[in-house]
Amino acid sequence: MICPKCSQVMPDGSKFCQACGAKLIEDVVETVQPAEDVTEEATESTDTAETEDEQDEGEKSRIVEETAGAEQALAGARTMTESAPVMTQTATSGVKTAAGAAGGAVAKSGAPLPLIFGLIGGGVFLLAAAITLVIVFVINGKSGEAIQLSDYTKVDFDGTDGDGKARAYLDVKELSIRFAKDMGIDTSLVRDVENNPEDADYGAIFKEGIENFGELMDIYSAISGIKLELDKDSGLKNGDTIHVSYKINEKRIDKVKTKVLGDTKTVTVSGLTEVKAVDPFDHLNVHVDGVSPKAYIYCDSDSQDDWMEYISFTAEPTDGLKQGDTVKIIANGYDEEMFGEKYGVKFSRTEMDYKLDNVDSYVIENAALEQGAVDKMKSATEEYVRQYFDDANREKQIKATDIKYVGYYLLTNKKTDTWDIYNKVYLVYSASVSSLEKPKGFKTKTVYFPVEYDDVKRLADGSYEIETAYRRILGSTDLQFGYWQMVDGYTSTDVMYDELVTADDEYQGAGYEGLAG
């Protein structure tokens, strides 16, 4: 045993302290005997919990286990008092005896301070705290008046207007206080633990919790038996009306002394963030580089809106594009909930189709060229044919008259996925060619002069780009002049077609205007 005055350890059965001479108290063990009564009460509470609700076995089992934990904590107090010094002083709580706190009995010589913490360690205080904040009892007497659960129901709204969410829940703290009040629990010593945690008398709170343990379990069980249901909890907009209904476990509610009514609660939705629809593509810039059918695309935006910092644009596909293709442009980084709450905006769309209507394009289809392209090549071809005859090596040996436009052949590469020549245009002029030599080298004859142009390109502005640096007249006739020269070109359109069009395996083509058919 331990001396309560100087804390020296004395042999069991000692009457006086051998160190300081103080008289030792013999009836310490008696101070904890009333704890057995509390244990009996806790056991009775356990029995009650076991039969409380046959429809919720799991809940009853948990309550029984927690109550049994209280029994163990209280029973353990007996051992603690045998080994701890007896203290008659009040702890920070102002409770004079631990035994009184546990079961209402008054100890003869006071309870040791460690007993309180031993009980807390046993789980009783933590259990009471979990059940509606232990008890924040601001209660005096009984009310007995019926209450509406709607008065203790809160509904929170979150999200944006048109896509809001609702959550309904009970104000457990206030409802617990009301139940406790109607059950006559006196808490006049208690300060508000939440608002004044430093000044709260935790010892008194603990005492009240232990003395009213059974009632607290009834309150907890009653509140756990109340379920809330919303007729609509998502896709809400400001001004909508929603309803909260209740499912009440009557067997549990019967344990408290408050009459509970569960009339439907009607709530008007409010407080949702107002949003406006915006089109992220309003300030989109589409850049197309390269030449069809090998064009590629990229996008950016000159929007000054704050939310643009999160947005990037991608195209599908991005390259290998040709005139007339449709590309899907996607706005990436958009989070509807975040944009609504933070910026008050909602995207009207996150994808758009973009058609490549005006891009620089090689001619890759076998169809008649636009007149603008033909006229540009006609002018260049006629000039080139005249230059051919004006050359110093020919002007005194041959001459051409009646120079005129005949038509053209258009050939396109059979493969569009190539870096080779995409198209060939053979623009054909004819002329009557005569020999100026004496004696004449050949009789006057009509000659066809096909002049080749490669990779004719239609620009985005509608004009054409035609490379003339590498022009040449194709073919060779049997019209000889000088010692070894032959007049270029063809004297037969059939031969010209076979050699220029039919024989070219890599390209497909046809004749147009005067050479059609």
Side-chain angles (χ1 to χ4, degrees):
M1 60 191 301
I2 299 173
C3 175
K5 184 174 182 180
C6 66
S7 299
Q8 293 296 317
V9 178
M10 296 291 107
D12 291 343
S14 298
K15 303 274 185 192
F16 297 92
C17 176
Q18 296 176 9
C20 67
K23 183 180 179 181
L24 300 180
I25 300 172
E26 299 175 355
D27 53 359
V28 172
V29 176
E30 297 179 13
T31 64
V32 298
Q33 296 304 318
E36 297 178 357
D37 298 333
V38 178
T39 304
E40 292 176 1
E41 293 178 8
T43 304
E44 292 175 3
S45 180
T46 302
D47 295 337
T48 302
E50 289 176 343
T51 58
E52 180 180 353
D53 185 3
E54 296 178 355
Q55 299 177 357
D56 194 348
E57 294 297 333
E59 180 67 22
K60 292 185 296 181
S61 297
R62 191 180 63 75
I63 294 173
V64 170
E65 290 174 2
E66 292 171 344
T67 307
E71 294 179 15
Q72 295 174 6
L74 292 169
R78 181 181 299 105
T79 303
M80 294 175 59
T81 56
E82 292 176 352
S83 60
V86 176
M87 293 188 177
T88 57
Q89 62 188 26
T90 302
T92 56
S93 64
V95 180
K96 294 184 182 296
T97 66
V106 179
K108 294 181 180 180
S109 304
L113 185 60
L115 176 58
I116 294 177
F117 297 100
L119 292 174
I120 293 175
V124 178
F125 183 74
L126 293 179
L127 173 61
I131 306 172
T132 69
L133 305 175
V134 187
I135 9 177
V136 185
F137 308 106
V138 189
I139 305 161
N140 290 296
K142 294 184 179 181
S143 168
E145 298 177 0
I147 65 168
Q148 282 286 358
L149 288 177
S150 59
D151 294 336
Y152 296 88
T153 299
K154 295 183 177 181
V155 181
D156 290 343
F157 300 105
D158 184 42
T160 58
D161 190 21
D163 192 30
K165 298 177 179 60
R167 182 177 71 94
Y169 58 96
L170 290 173
D171 186 340
V172 175
K173 173 185 172 182
E174 295 301 324
L175 185 57
S176 300
I177 290 173
R178 176 56 187 266
F179 284 165
K181 178 180 178 179
D182 289 353
M183 294 178 79
I185 300 175
D186 182 10
T187 59
S188 58
L189 297 176
V190 181
R191 297 182 179 89
D192 189 335
V193 175
E194 287 184 317
N195 296 331
N196 303 286
E198 295 181 358
D199 298 331
D201 192 341
Y202 291 102
I205 294 171
F206 180 70
K207 178 177 181 294
E208 292 289 340
I210 294 301
E211 290 181 347
N212 298 283
F213 181 75
E215 287 80 356
L216 289 177
M217 296 305 297
D218 289 340
I219 292 173
Y220 172 70
S221 178
I223 293 177
S224 298
I226 301 171
K227 306 300 180 185
L228 280 63
E229 293 184 352
L230 279 166
D231 61 343
K232 185 177 183 181
D233 61 3
S234 61
L236 303 173
K237 63 180 183 296
N238 289 325
D240 282 351
T241 299
I242 60 176
H243 303 89
V244 185
S245 57
Y246 305 89
K247 288 186 176 180
I248 303 172
N249 188 316
E250 298 295 344
K251 290 184 179 179
R252 294 188 183 185
I253 290 295
D254 286 345
K255 298 294 182 180
V256 296
K257 297 183 179 180
T258 304
K259 184 176 181 181
V260 175
L261 304 177
D263 294 348
T264 299
K265 181 182 181 71
T266 301
V267 183
T268 300
V269 179
S270 63
L272 298 176
T273 303
E274 298 286 345
V275 296
K276 64 177 181 178
V278 297
D279 190 338
F281 301 99
D282 281 347
H283 299 276
L284 182 71
N285 299 314
V286 180
H287 306 274
V288 181
D289 285 344
V291 181
S292 169
K294 290 290 186 178
Y296 58 92
I297 187 173
Y298 63 95
C299 310
D300 57 35
S301 175
D302 55 16
S303 171
Q304 300 302 309
D305 294 305
D306 292 343
W307 46 261
M308 256 320 293
E309 64 178 302
Y310 295 97
I311 301 302
S312 62
F313 297 95
T314 56
E316 296 180 357
T318 58
D319 54 16
L321 304 174
K322 64 180 182 296
Q323 170 76 13
D325 281 351
T326 298
V327 174
K328 185 179 296 295
I329 300 177
I330 303 169
N332 303 295
Y334 172 60
D335 183 290
E336 183 174 345
E337 183 174 354
M338 187 271 281
F339 273 54
E341 294 180 357
K342 185 174 181 179
Y343 299 109
V345 299
K346 180 179 182 179
F347 282 7
S348 58
R349 56 177 177 166
T350 57
E351 297 180 357
M352 67 166 286
D353 290 336
Y354 181 85
K355 187 175 183 179
L356 278 71
D357 283 331
N358 295 303
V359 298
D360 295 350
S361 308
Y362 291 116
V363 175
I364 59 173
E365 295 181 354
N366 286 105
L369 296 172
E370 295 180 13
Q371 193 60 46
V374 176
D375 289 344
K376 191 170 185 177
M377 284 186 286
K378 282 170 64 177
S379 176
T381 302
E382 183 175 351
E383 178 187 4
Y384 186 67
V385 171
R386 291 186 184 280
Q387 289 175 355
Y388 175 81
F389 287 98
D390 291 339
D391 183 86
N393 294 322
R394 304 184 189 97
E395 64 178 350
K396 293 181 179 181
Q397 296 170 307
I398 57 176
K399 72 173 183 179
T401 58
D402 194 23
I403 298 174
K404 61 184 178 182
Y405 168 70
V406 177
Y408 65 92
Y409 298 116
L410 170 62
L411 284 75
T412 57
N413 200 311
K414 292 178 181 179
K415 298 178 180 178
T416 57
D417 185 17
T418 180
W419 293 104
D420 203 354
I421 296 172
Y422 288 98
N423 63 64
K424 302 174 183 179
V425 177
Y426 303 125
L427 201 82
V428 181
Y429 266 72
S430 67
S432 294
V433 181
S434 302
S435 173
L436 297 178
E437 296 177 318
K438 292 182 179 181
K440 292 185 177 182
F442 58 85
K443 294 181 179 181
T444 301
K445 199 164 189 177
T446 298
V447 179
Y448 299 94
F449 300 97
V451 177
E452 181 179 355
Y453 299 90
D454 293 339
D455 280 338
V456 174
K457 185 189 302 181
R458 184 185 186 279
L459 303 182
D461 62 5
S463 64
Y464 281 84
E465 180 180 290
I466 299 173
E467 179 58 61
T468 61
Y470 304 103
R471 290 172 298 176
R472 60 194 178 107
I473 295 174
L474 301 178
S476 180
T477 68
D478 58 358
L479 304 178
Q480 183 176 349
F481 63 96
Y483 293 103
W484 51 267
Q485 296 182 75
M486 299 292 183
V487 176
D488 292 335
Y490 294 89
T491 56
S492 168
T493 56
D494 291 338
V495 174
M496 180 172 62
Y497 182 85
D498 287 342
E499 290 189 1
L500 298 182
V501 180
T502 305
D504 197 332
D505 293 334
E506 294 185 14
Y507 292 79
Q508 54 189 0
Y512 295 90
E513 296 186 343
L515 295 173

